[in-house]
Amino acid sequence: MKNLIEEANLLDVLGFTIPLPSHLQSRLNEDILTQEFRRKHYLLRPGEICKRLYFVCSGFIRAYFIDQNGKECTTWFVGKGDLVISANSFFNQQPSYEYIQVLKNCKLQSLTWHQINALYAEFHEGNLLGRIFIQKYFINSEERSMFLRIQQPEERYDRVMSAHPDLNLQTTQTNIASYLALSRETLSRIRRKKISKV
């Protein structure tokens, strides 16, 4: 019973998004692959092609790239109930420029690029689900781009901590600072200020 409460399920999320006919549910049950990965495992590395779209049942994941100075630049964090994908690599089936790394032991469910395109071709509901999730992905991407450009450092910190309340327990301060486009020192000052107000 504990695992049912602590884990998300891709089929449940899809069914909550739109009603799924029984024949599509059966097909998804056949296609969905469930796997477990340990902390520090890489789902993707630069030069590899992202061949699967993952759904996080449990655990925590980040994506990052290495800049021209050799510095890790974290681009996103995802946890339970989120999708994991390197969009450019997956949709174009071309080599990735980023790493996707497991930060906390994960249980993931996934579909391949070929399976998803078959679902688009064979099921009207497959197309609708694809459109809904792609729209959500682009909205989230645009929001992140805007908050990095417009919001002040403390606002950025508050926003990411609201989205991931346990982030300090899931990853390093270096990764959090990188995601927020801040120095470690600036992040430390913000955290001290927040703690002093508690």
Side-chain angles (χ1 to χ4, degrees):
M1 187 67 167
K2 185 179 179 184
N3 286 338
L4 292 176
I5 295 170
E6 291 182 351
E7 293 180 356
N9 181 281
L10 178 56
L11 203 56
D12 291 342
V13 170
L14 296 177
F16 182 77
T17 305
I18 65 168
L20 298 179
S22 58
H23 56 293
L24 178 52
Q25 290 185 41
S26 297
R27 176 64 170 276
L28 286 165
N29 274 321
E30 292 174 9
D31 286 351
I32 291 172
L33 175 66
T34 302
Q35 298 170 286
E36 294 186 3
F37 297 96
R38 304 286 296 174
R39 179 176 173 268
K40 296 187 177 181
H41 176 80
Y42 283 91
L43 298 172
L44 186 70
R45 296 176 187 267
E48 298 174 349
I49 295 173
C50 183
K51 296 182 178 178
R52 288 188 169 272
L53 181 150
Y54 293 95
F55 173 81
V56 184
C57 301
S58 62
F60 204 68
I61 295 172
R62 77 160 173 150
Y64 68 94
F65 65 92
I66 307 291
D67 71 12
Q68 58 188 5
N69 298 315
K71 181 181 176 183
E72 291 185 8
C73 300
T74 300
T75 51
W76 47 259
F77 297 108
V78 295
K80 182 177 73 173
D82 289 324
L83 294 175
V84 176
I85 191 173
S86 176
N88 189 49
S89 178
F90 183 80
F91 290 115
N92 292 318
Q93 286 296 281
Q94 65 182 28
S96 171
Y97 62 85
E98 65 184 341
Y99 296 86
I100 299 180
Q101 180 188 34
V102 173
L103 294 180
K104 183 179 179 182
N105 294 354
C106 282
K107 180 176 179 181
L108 305 178
Q109 294 177 316
S110 66
L111 293 164
T112 68
W113 182 86
H114 292 289
Q115 288 170 331
I116 289 173
N117 279 281
L119 291 171
Y120 289 166
E122 297 173 33
F123 299 93
H124 165 74
E125 296 85 0
N127 265 299
L128 180 56
L129 284 167
R131 190 176 77 214
I132 289 169
F133 284 104
I134 288 172
Q135 285 174 349
K136 181 181 176 182
Y137 177 88
F138 277 106
I139 289 169
N140 289 343
S141 179
E142 182 177 280
E143 285 178 349
R144 169 167 162 71
S145 177
M146 293 301 289
F147 103 85
L148 285 176
R149 288 183 172 90
I150 295 173
Q151 293 187 323
Q152 295 300 310
E154 282 193 37
E155 293 174 316
R156 284 184 245 161
Y157 177 83
D158 289 341
R159 182 174 180 138
V160 75
M161 295 310 296
S162 175
H164 303 289
D166 297 328
L167 187 58
N168 287 316
L169 303 176
Q170 309 278 15
T171 189
T172 66
Q173 294 304 297
T174 298
N175 288 345
I176 297 171
S178 171
Y179 177 74
L180 295 172
L182 303 174
S183 68
R184 274 288 305 269
E185 293 74 20
T186 299
L187 177 60
S188 294
R189 283 197 298 271
I190 293 170
R191 291 190 68 223
R192 284 197 300 270
K193 185 176 179 181
K194 298 290 181 183
I195 291 170
S196 69
K197 289 182 178 179
V198 176

